[in-house]
Amino acid sequence: DDEKHSECKDASAASQNVFIGGFSMGGAMAVYCGYHFAQKLGGVIALSGYVLETCNYPSEIHEVNKDTSLLVYHGDSDPVVPFTFSEKGFNALQGHLNMRYNKIKYLQHSVDPDEIQRVCQFVMNGGGFSDMSSAKL
Protein backbone atom coordinates (compact mmCIF):
# COMPACT_ATOMS: atom_id res chain seq x y z
CA ASP A 1 0.00 0.00 0.00
CA ASP A 2 0.99 3.66 -0.27
CA GLU A 3 1.98 3.99 3.40
CA LYS A 4 4.45 1.08 3.21
CA HIS A 5 5.81 2.36 -0.09
CA SER A 6 6.41 5.76 1.52
CA GLU A 7 8.25 4.15 4.46
CA CYS A 8 10.48 2.24 2.05
CA LYS A 9 11.30 5.45 0.17
CA ASP A 10 12.15 7.17 3.45
CA ALA A 11 14.44 4.28 4.47
CA SER A 12 16.16 4.36 1.09
CA ALA A 13 16.78 8.11 1.34
CA ALA A 14 18.08 7.66 4.91
CA SER A 15 20.59 5.04 3.75
CA GLN A 16 22.54 7.82 2.01
CA ASN A 17 23.34 9.13 5.49
CA VAL A 18 24.81 5.79 6.58
CA PHE A 19 28.57 5.23 6.57
CA ILE A 20 29.98 1.75 7.03
CA GLY A 21 33.50 1.25 8.24
CA GLY A 22 35.83 -1.00 10.14
CA PHE A 23 39.32 -1.81 11.31
CA SER A 24 41.39 -4.73 9.98
CA MET A 25 38.99 -7.58 9.10
CA GLY A 26 36.18 -5.15 9.91
CA GLY A 27 37.55 -2.89 7.18
CA ALA A 28 37.49 -5.80 4.73
CA MET A 29 33.90 -6.54 5.71
CA ALA A 30 32.93 -2.87 5.40
CA VAL A 31 34.23 -2.81 1.82
CA TYR A 32 32.49 -6.09 1.00
CA CYS A 33 29.15 -5.14 2.57
CA GLY A 34 29.24 -1.54 1.43
CA TYR A 35 29.77 -2.33 -2.23
CA HIS A 36 27.35 -5.28 -2.30
CA PHE A 37 24.57 -3.32 -0.55
CA ALA A 38 21.51 -2.59 -2.69
CA GLN A 39 20.82 0.88 -1.28
CA LYS A 40 22.94 4.00 -1.70
CA LEU A 41 25.33 4.61 1.22
CA GLY A 42 27.02 7.81 2.35
CA GLY A 43 30.50 6.28 2.26
CA VAL A 44 32.76 3.35 3.16
CA ILE A 45 35.80 3.49 5.46
CA ALA A 46 38.57 0.91 5.91
CA LEU A 47 41.31 1.37 8.52
CA SER A 48 44.24 -1.07 8.36
CA GLY A 49 41.98 -3.22 6.19
CA TYR A 50 42.18 -5.10 2.96
CA VAL A 51 40.07 -6.28 0.02
CA LEU A 52 38.72 -9.82 0.20
CA GLU A 53 40.38 -11.79 -2.58
CA THR A 54 37.24 -13.85 -3.22
CA CYS A 55 35.30 -10.79 -4.42
CA ASN A 56 35.07 -10.37 -8.15
CA TYR A 57 35.63 -6.63 -8.18
CA PRO A 58 34.82 -4.50 -10.01
CA SER A 59 32.02 -6.61 -11.54
CA GLU A 60 30.41 -7.29 -8.13
CA ILE A 61 30.14 -3.64 -7.08
CA HIS A 62 26.41 -2.96 -6.80
CA GLU A 63 25.27 -0.35 -9.31
CA VAL A 64 23.78 1.98 -6.66
CA ASN A 65 27.12 2.27 -4.82
CA LYS A 66 29.52 2.64 -7.75
CA ASP A 67 29.77 6.36 -6.90
CA THR A 68 29.96 5.83 -3.12
CA SER A 69 33.31 7.13 -1.83
CA LEU A 70 35.84 4.86 -0.15
CA LEU A 71 38.30 6.24 2.39
CA VAL A 72 41.24 3.99 3.32
CA TYR A 73 44.09 4.47 5.78
CA HIS A 74 46.87 1.95 6.35
CA GLY A 75 50.14 2.06 8.25
CA ASP A 76 53.30 1.26 6.32
CA SER A 77 54.67 -0.69 9.32
CA ASP A 78 51.62 -2.92 9.91
CA PRO A 79 52.85 -6.45 10.84
CA VAL A 80 49.33 -7.98 10.92
CA VAL A 81 47.94 -6.81 7.57
CA PRO A 82 51.07 -5.95 5.58
CA PHE A 83 50.89 -2.64 3.75
CA THR A 84 51.82 -4.24 0.41
CA PHE A 85 48.94 -6.76 0.72
CA SER A 86 46.44 -4.01 1.50
CA GLU A 87 47.75 -1.71 -1.21
CA LYS A 88 47.57 -4.45 -3.87
CA GLY A 89 43.91 -5.18 -3.12
CA PHE A 90 42.83 -1.57 -3.07
CA ASN A 91 44.85 -0.78 -6.21
CA ALA A 92 42.57 -3.24 -8.02
CA LEU A 93 39.65 -0.93 -7.14
CA GLN A 94 41.37 2.25 -8.39
CA GLY A 95 39.51 3.63 -11.38
CA HIS A 96 36.34 1.76 -10.43
CA LEU A 97 35.48 3.66 -7.25
CA ASN A 98 35.85 7.19 -5.99
CA MET A 99 38.49 6.36 -3.42
CA ARG A 100 41.42 7.71 -1.53
CA TYR A 101 44.10 5.33 -0.23
CA ASN A 102 46.33 6.91 2.39
CA LYS A 103 49.58 5.54 3.78
CA ILE A 104 50.56 6.52 7.31
CA LYS A 105 54.29 6.45 7.99
CA TYR A 106 55.51 4.25 10.85
CA LEU A 107 51.98 3.23 11.92
CA GLN A 108 51.62 -0.41 12.92
CA HIS A 109 48.32 -2.27 13.28
CA SER A 110 46.57 0.52 15.14
CA VAL A 111 44.66 3.75 14.67
CA ASP A 112 46.22 7.21 14.72
CA PRO A 113 44.32 10.21 16.21
CA ASP A 114 44.86 12.21 13.00
CA GLU A 115 43.35 9.33 11.06
CA ILE A 116 40.20 9.53 13.18
CA GLN A 117 40.04 13.28 12.55
CA ARG A 118 40.14 12.63 8.78
CA VAL A 119 37.41 10.00 9.08
CA CYS A 120 35.27 12.56 10.91
CA GLN A 121 35.92 15.11 8.15
CA PHE A 122 34.94 12.53 5.52
CA VAL A 123 31.64 11.83 7.27
CA MET A 124 30.94 15.52 7.90
CA ASN A 125 31.62 16.17 4.18
CA GLY A 126 28.93 13.63 3.32
CA GLY A 127 31.47 11.22 1.87
CA GLY A 128 33.34 13.87 -0.05
CA PHE A 129 37.08 14.43 -0.05
CA SER A 130 37.00 18.23 -0.22
CA ASP A 131 38.36 20.13 2.77
CA MET A 132 40.28 17.05 3.91
CA SER A 133 43.70 18.22 4.95
CA SER A 134 46.59 16.03 3.86
CA ALA A 135 48.98 17.60 6.34
CA LYS A 136 50.77 15.69 9.09
CA LEU A 137 49.81 12.06 8.35
Side-chain angles (χ1 to χ4, degrees), residues 6 14 17 33 37 41 47 52 63 65 73 77 81-82 85 108-109 113-114 118 123 127 131 134 137:
S6 176
N17 295 319
C33 293
F37 193 58
L41 293 171
L47 307 178
L52 297 172
E63 185 66 33
N65 281 305
Y73 283 97
S77 300
V81 178
F85 176 73
Q108 295 192 13
H109 197 65
D114 289 331
R118 303 289 160 65
V123 172
D131 299 328
S134 60
L137 290 175

PDB file of all heavy atoms in Angstrom, residues 6 14 17 33 37 41 47 52 63 65 73 77 81-82 85 108-109 113-114 118 123 127 131 134 137:
ATOM      1  N   SER A   6       5.816   4.527   1.026  1.00  0.00           N
ATOM      2  CA  SER A   6       6.406   5.763   1.524  1.00  0.00           C
ATOM      3  C   SER A   6       7.492   5.481   2.560  1.00  0.00           C
ATOM      4  O   SER A   6       8.553   6.107   2.546  1.00  0.00           O
ATOM      5  CB  SER A   6       5.312   6.647   2.126  1.00  0.00           C
ATOM      6  OG  SER A   6       5.884   7.803   2.690  1.00  0.00           O
ATOM      7  N   ALA A  14      17.285   7.611   3.683  1.00  0.00           N
ATOM      8  CA  ALA A  14      18.082   7.657   4.906  1.00  0.00           C
ATOM      9  C   ALA A  14      19.374   6.867   4.761  1.00  0.00           C
ATOM     10  O   ALA A  14      20.371   7.198   5.402  1.00  0.00           O
ATOM     11  CB  ALA A  14      17.270   7.123   6.084  1.00  0.00           C
ATOM     12  N   ASN A  17      22.703   8.517   4.325  1.00  0.00           N
ATOM     13  CA  ASN A  17      23.343   9.128   5.494  1.00  0.00           C
ATOM     14  C   ASN A  17      24.097   8.102   6.325  1.00  0.00           C
ATOM     15  O   ASN A  17      24.620   8.438   7.379  1.00  0.00           O
ATOM     16  CB  ASN A  17      22.288   9.815   6.369  1.00  0.00           C
ATOM     17  CG  ASN A  17      21.636  10.971   5.650  1.00  0.00           C
ATOM     18  OD1 ASN A  17      22.298  11.733   4.955  1.00  0.00           O
ATOM     19  ND2 ASN A  17      20.332  11.106   5.799  1.00  0.00           N
ATOM     20  N   CYS A  33      30.568  -5.444   2.335  1.00  0.00           N
ATOM     21  CA  CYS A  33      29.146  -5.140   2.567  1.00  0.00           C
ATOM     22  C   CYS A  33      28.731  -3.840   1.897  1.00  0.00           C
ATOM     23  O   CYS A  33      27.659  -3.759   1.297  1.00  0.00           O
ATOM     24  CB  CYS A  33      28.850  -5.082   4.061  1.00  0.00           C
ATOM     25  SG  CYS A  33      29.010  -6.671   4.893  1.00  0.00           S
ATOM     26  N   PHE A  37      25.848  -3.767  -1.090  1.00  0.00           N
ATOM     27  CA  PHE A  37      24.573  -3.319  -0.547  1.00  0.00           C
ATOM     28  C   PHE A  37      23.711  -2.727  -1.655  1.00  0.00           C
ATOM     29  O   PHE A  37      24.200  -2.008  -2.515  1.00  0.00           O
ATOM     30  CB  PHE A  37      24.831  -2.279   0.556  1.00  0.00           C
ATOM     31  CG  PHE A  37      23.646  -1.964   1.400  1.00  0.00           C
ATOM     32  CD1 PHE A  37      22.997  -2.950   2.112  1.00  0.00           C
ATOM     33  CD2 PHE A  37      23.180  -0.656   1.499  1.00  0.00           C
ATOM     34  CE1 PHE A  37      21.905  -2.651   2.916  1.00  0.00           C
ATOM     35  CE2 PHE A  37      22.099  -0.341   2.299  1.00  0.00           C
ATOM     36  CZ  PHE A  37      21.449  -1.345   3.009  1.00  0.00           C
ATOM     37  N   LEU A  41      24.720   4.265  -0.073  1.00  0.00           N
ATOM     38  CA  LEU A  41      25.326   4.608   1.217  1.00  0.00           C
ATOM     39  C   LEU A  41      26.023   5.967   1.132  1.00  0.00           C
ATOM     40  O   LEU A  41      26.363   6.434   0.045  1.00  0.00           O
ATOM     41  CB  LEU A  41      26.352   3.543   1.622  1.00  0.00           C
ATOM     42  CG  LEU A  41      25.794   2.165   1.935  1.00  0.00           C
ATOM     43  CD1 LEU A  41      26.922   1.163   2.105  1.00  0.00           C
ATOM     44  CD2 LEU A  41      24.918   2.215   3.187  1.00  0.00           C
ATOM     45  N   LEU A  47      40.092   1.005   7.790  1.00  0.00           N
ATOM     46  CA  LEU A  47      41.310   1.371   8.518  1.00  0.00           C
ATOM     47  C   LEU A  47      42.127   0.105   8.747  1.00  0.00           C
ATOM     48  O   LEU A  47      41.627  -0.858   9.336  1.00  0.00           O
ATOM     49  CB  LEU A  47      40.957   2.025   9.854  1.00  0.00           C
ATOM     50  CG  LEU A  47      39.990   3.207   9.789  1.00  0.00           C
ATOM     51  CD1 LEU A  47      39.684   3.722  11.187  1.00  0.00           C
ATOM     52  CD2 LEU A  47      40.535   4.304   8.908  1.00  0.00           C
ATOM     53  N   LEU A  52      38.860  -8.365   0.241  1.00  0.00           N
ATOM     54  CA  LEU A  52      38.721  -9.825   0.203  1.00  0.00           C
ATOM     55  C   LEU A  52      39.044 -10.327  -1.196  1.00  0.00           C
ATOM     56  O   LEU A  52      38.481  -9.849  -2.184  1.00  0.00           O
ATOM     57  CB  LEU A  52      37.305 -10.230   0.605  1.00  0.00           C
ATOM     58  CG  LEU A  52      36.890  -9.861   2.025  1.00  0.00           C
ATOM     59  CD1 LEU A  52      35.399 -10.151   2.237  1.00  0.00           C
ATOM     60  CD2 LEU A  52      37.727 -10.627   3.046  1.00  0.00           C
ATOM     61  N   GLU A  63      25.449  -1.550  -8.481  1.00  0.00           N
ATOM     62  CA  GLU A  63      25.271  -0.349  -9.306  1.00  0.00           C
ATOM     63  C   GLU A  63      24.984   0.901  -8.471  1.00  0.00           C
ATOM     64  O   GLU A  63      25.526   1.970  -8.758  1.00  0.00           O
ATOM     65  CB  GLU A  63      24.134  -0.574 -10.307  1.00  0.00           C
ATOM     66  CG  GLU A  63      23.938   0.555 -11.295  1.00  0.00           C
ATOM     67  CD  GLU A  63      25.110   0.725 -12.250  1.00  0.00           C
ATOM     68  OE1 GLU A  63      25.756  -0.266 -12.618  1.00  0.00           O
ATOM     69  OE2 GLU A  63      25.378   1.884 -12.632  1.00  0.00           O
ATOM     70  N   ASN A  65      25.993   1.779  -5.619  1.00  0.00           N
ATOM     71  CA  ASN A  65      27.116   2.270  -4.817  1.00  0.00           C
ATOM     72  C   ASN A  65      28.408   2.441  -5.612  1.00  0.00           C
ATOM     73  O   ASN A  65      29.469   2.643  -5.032  1.00  0.00           O
ATOM     74  CB  ASN A  65      27.327   1.373  -3.595  1.00  0.00           C
ATOM     75  CG  ASN A  65      26.329   1.703  -2.515  1.00  0.00           C
ATOM     76  OD1 ASN A  65      26.227   2.851  -2.095  1.00  0.00           O
ATOM     77  ND2 ASN A  65      25.556   0.714  -2.083  1.00  0.00           N
ATOM     78  N   TYR A  73      42.832   4.123   5.133  1.00  0.00           N
ATOM     79  CA  TYR A  73      44.094   4.471   5.785  1.00  0.00           C
ATOM     80  C   TYR A  73      44.787   3.180   6.181  1.00  0.00           C
ATOM     81  O   TYR A  73      44.137   2.241   6.658  1.00  0.00           O
ATOM     82  CB  TYR A  73      43.863   5.332   7.040  1.00  0.00           C
ATOM     83  CG  TYR A  73      43.549   6.762   6.720  1.00  0.00           C
ATOM     84  CD1 TYR A  73      42.241   7.212   6.677  1.00  0.00           C
ATOM     85  CD2 TYR A  73      44.565   7.665   6.447  1.00  0.00           C
ATOM     86  CE1 TYR A  73      41.952   8.517   6.363  1.00  0.00           C
ATOM     87  CE2 TYR A  73      44.287   8.980   6.134  1.00  0.00           C
ATOM     88  CZ  TYR A  73      42.968   9.403   6.093  1.00  0.00           C
ATOM     89  OH  TYR A  73      42.690  10.706   5.781  1.00  0.00           O
ATOM     90  N   SER A  77      53.921   0.227   8.459  1.00  0.00           N
ATOM     91  CA  SER A  77      54.673  -0.690   9.325  1.00  0.00           C
ATOM     92  C   SER A  77      53.756  -1.729   9.973  1.00  0.00           C
ATOM     93  O   SER A  77      54.093  -2.296  11.014  1.00  0.00           O
ATOM     94  CB  SER A  77      55.394   0.107  10.420  1.00  0.00           C
ATOM     95  OG  SER A  77      56.289   1.025   9.834  1.00  0.00           O
ATOM     96  N   VAL A  81      48.404  -6.903   8.953  1.00  0.00           N
ATOM     97  CA  VAL A  81      47.937  -6.806   7.566  1.00  0.00           C
ATOM     98  C   VAL A  81      49.005  -5.999   6.841  1.00  0.00           C
ATOM     99  O   VAL A  81      48.998  -4.770   6.884  1.00  0.00           O
ATOM    100  CB  VAL A  81      46.561  -6.105   7.463  1.00  0.00           C
ATOM    101  CG1 VAL A  81      46.131  -5.989   6.012  1.00  0.00           C
ATOM    102  CG2 VAL A  81      45.510  -6.833   8.287  1.00  0.00           C
ATOM    103  N   PRO A  82      49.964  -6.672   6.209  1.00  0.00           N
ATOM    104  CA  PRO A  82      51.074  -5.949   5.577  1.00  0.00           C
ATOM    105  C   PRO A  82      50.585  -4.889   4.589  1.00  0.00           C
ATOM    106  O   PRO A  82      49.632  -5.104   3.838  1.00  0.00           O
ATOM    107  CB  PRO A  82      51.861  -7.046   4.862  1.00  0.00           C
ATOM    108  CG  PRO A  82      51.516  -8.296   5.617  1.00  0.00           C
ATOM    109  CD  PRO A  82      50.085  -8.113   6.054  1.00  0.00           C
ATOM    110  N   PHE A  85      50.138  -5.937   0.963  1.00  0.00           N
ATOM    111  CA  PHE A  85      48.944  -6.761   0.716  1.00  0.00           C
ATOM    112  C   PHE A  85      47.706  -5.869   0.599  1.00  0.00           C
ATOM    113  O   PHE A  85      46.891  -6.017  -0.315  1.00  0.00           O
ATOM    114  CB  PHE A  85      48.772  -7.787   1.836  1.00  0.00           C
ATOM    115  CG  PHE A  85      47.531  -8.616   1.708  1.00  0.00           C
ATOM    116  CD1 PHE A  85      47.434  -9.604   0.738  1.00  0.00           C
ATOM    117  CD2 PHE A  85      46.454  -8.419   2.562  1.00  0.00           C
ATOM    118  CE1 PHE A  85      46.286 -10.372   0.613  1.00  0.00           C
ATOM    119  CE2 PHE A  85      45.310  -9.182   2.454  1.00  0.00           C
ATOM    120  CZ  PHE A  85      45.221 -10.156   1.480  1.00  0.00           C
ATOM    121  N   GLN A 108      51.778   1.047  12.922  1.00  0.00           N
ATOM    122  CA  GLN A 108      51.622  -0.405  12.919  1.00  0.00           C
ATOM    123  C   GLN A 108      50.132  -0.734  12.819  1.00  0.00           C
ATOM    124  O   GLN A 108      49.381   0.029  12.224  1.00  0.00           O
ATOM    125  CB  GLN A 108      52.293  -0.990  14.148  1.00  0.00           C
ATOM    126  CG  GLN A 108      53.797  -0.780  14.114  1.00  0.00           C
ATOM    127  CD  GLN A 108      54.541  -1.579  15.158  1.00  0.00           C
ATOM    128  OE1 GLN A 108      54.013  -2.483  15.784  1.00  0.00           O
ATOM    129  NE2 GLN A 108      55.796  -1.247  15.353  1.00  0.00           N
ATOM    130  N   HIS A 109      49.718  -1.846  13.375  1.00  0.00           N
ATOM    131  CA  HIS A 109      48.320  -2.274  13.278  1.00  0.00           C
ATOM    132  C   HIS A 109      47.507  -1.579  14.369  1.00  0.00           C
ATOM    133  O   HIS A 109      47.132  -2.183  15.374  1.00  0.00           O
ATOM    134  CB  HIS A 109      48.237  -3.806  13.403  1.00  0.00           C
ATOM    135  CG  HIS A 109      46.950  -4.370  12.915  1.00  0.00           C
ATOM    136  ND1 HIS A 109      46.559  -4.308  11.600  1.00  0.00           N
ATOM    137  CD2 HIS A 109      45.956  -5.015  13.571  1.00  0.00           C
ATOM    138  CE1 HIS A 109      45.393  -4.898  11.469  1.00  0.00           C
ATOM    139  NE2 HIS A 109      45.000  -5.337  12.658  1.00  0.00           N
ATOM    140  N   PRO A 113      45.319   9.153  15.963  1.00  0.00           N
ATOM    141  CA  PRO A 113      44.319  10.205  16.209  1.00  0.00           C
ATOM    142  C   PRO A 113      44.048  11.097  14.991  1.00  0.00           C
ATOM    143  O   PRO A 113      42.901  11.491  14.765  1.00  0.00           O
ATOM    144  CB  PRO A 113      44.926  11.019  17.363  1.00  0.00           C
ATOM    145  CG  PRO A 113      45.856  10.077  18.045  1.00  0.00           C
ATOM    146  CD  PRO A 113      46.389   9.169  16.969  1.00  0.00           C
ATOM    147  N   ASP A 114      45.072  11.406  14.207  1.00  0.00           N
ATOM    148  CA  ASP A 114      44.859  12.214  12.999  1.00  0.00           C
ATOM    149  C   ASP A 114      43.985  11.467  11.987  1.00  0.00           C
ATOM    150  O   ASP A 114      43.206  12.074  11.263  1.00  0.00           O
ATOM    151  CB  ASP A 114      46.192  12.589  12.350  1.00  0.00           C
ATOM    152  CG  ASP A 114      46.965  13.615  13.157  1.00  0.00           C
ATOM    153  OD1 ASP A 114      46.323  14.418  13.864  1.00  0.00           O
ATOM    154  OD2 ASP A 114      48.202  13.600  13.087  1.00  0.00           O
ATOM    155  N   ARG A 118      40.439  12.652  10.217  1.00  0.00           N
ATOM    156  CA  ARG A 118      40.142  12.627   8.775  1.00  0.00           C
ATOM    157  C   ARG A 118      38.864  11.839   8.492  1.00  0.00           C
ATOM    158  O   ARG A 118      38.092  12.199   7.610  1.00  0.00           O
ATOM    159  CB  ARG A 118      41.310  12.035   7.992  1.00  0.00           C
ATOM    160  CG  ARG A 118      42.613  12.754   8.203  1.00  0.00           C
ATOM    161  CD  ARG A 118      42.609  14.137   7.548  1.00  0.00           C
ATOM    162  NE  ARG A 118      43.622  15.016   8.104  1.00  0.00           N
ATOM    163  CZ  ARG A 118      44.930  14.860   8.028  1.00  0.00           C
ATOM    164  NH1 ARG A 118      45.444  13.842   7.399  1.00  0.00           N
ATOM    165  NH2 ARG A 118      45.738  15.743   8.575  1.00  0.00           N
ATOM    166  N   VAL A 123      33.064  11.994   6.951  1.00  0.00           N
ATOM    167  CA  VAL A 123      31.643  11.826   7.273  1.00  0.00           C
ATOM    168  C   VAL A 123      30.941  13.180   7.263  1.00  0.00           C
ATOM    169  O   VAL A 123      29.851  13.317   6.684  1.00  0.00           O
ATOM    170  CB  VAL A 123      31.472  11.104   8.628  1.00  0.00           C
ATOM    171  CG1 VAL A 123      30.009  11.098   9.065  1.00  0.00           C
ATOM    172  CG2 VAL A 123      32.010   9.676   8.539  1.00  0.00           C
ATOM    173  N   GLY A 127      30.783  12.185   2.714  1.00  0.00           N
ATOM    174  CA  GLY A 127      31.472  11.218   1.866  1.00  0.00           C
ATOM    175  C   GLY A 127      32.324  11.864   0.796  1.00  0.00           C
ATOM    176  O   GLY A 127      32.820  11.190  -0.102  1.00  0.00           O
ATOM    177  N   ASP A 131      38.041  19.613   1.428  1.00  0.00           N
ATOM    178  CA  ASP A 131      38.363  20.130   2.771  1.00  0.00           C
ATOM    179  C   ASP A 131      39.044  19.106   3.668  1.00  0.00           C
ATOM    180  O   ASP A 131      39.079  19.280   4.879  1.00  0.00           O
ATOM    181  CB  ASP A 131      37.100  20.663   3.481  1.00  0.00           C
ATOM    182  CG  ASP A 131      36.456  21.809   2.731  1.00  0.00           C
ATOM    183  OD1 ASP A 131      37.208  22.572   2.081  1.00  0.00           O
ATOM    184  OD2 ASP A 131      35.238  21.935   2.782  1.00  0.00           O
ATOM    185  N   SER A 134      45.631  17.135   4.018  1.00  0.00           N
ATOM    186  CA  SER A 134      46.586  16.027   3.855  1.00  0.00           C
ATOM    187  C   SER A 134      47.832  16.250   4.698  1.00  0.00           C
ATOM    188  O   SER A 134      48.793  15.492   4.621  1.00  0.00           O
ATOM    189  CB  SER A 134      46.965  15.888   2.377  1.00  0.00           C
ATOM    190  OG  SER A 134      47.560  17.080   1.932  1.00  0.00           O
ATOM    191  N   LEU A 137      49.762  13.510   8.489  1.00  0.00           N
ATOM    192  CA  LEU A 137      49.813  12.061   8.350  1.00  0.00           C
ATOM    193  C   LEU A 137      50.990  11.666   7.502  1.00  0.00           C
ATOM    194  O   LEU A 137      51.676  10.783   7.715  1.00  0.00           O
ATOM    195  CB  LEU A 137      48.533  11.514   7.710  1.00  0.00           C
ATOM    196  CG  LEU A 137      47.290  11.582   8.552  1.00  0.00           C
ATOM    197  CD1 LEU A 137      46.105  11.130   7.723  1.00  0.00           C
ATOM    198  CD2 LEU A 137      47.399  10.759   9.792  1.00  0.00           C
TER     199      LEU A 137
END
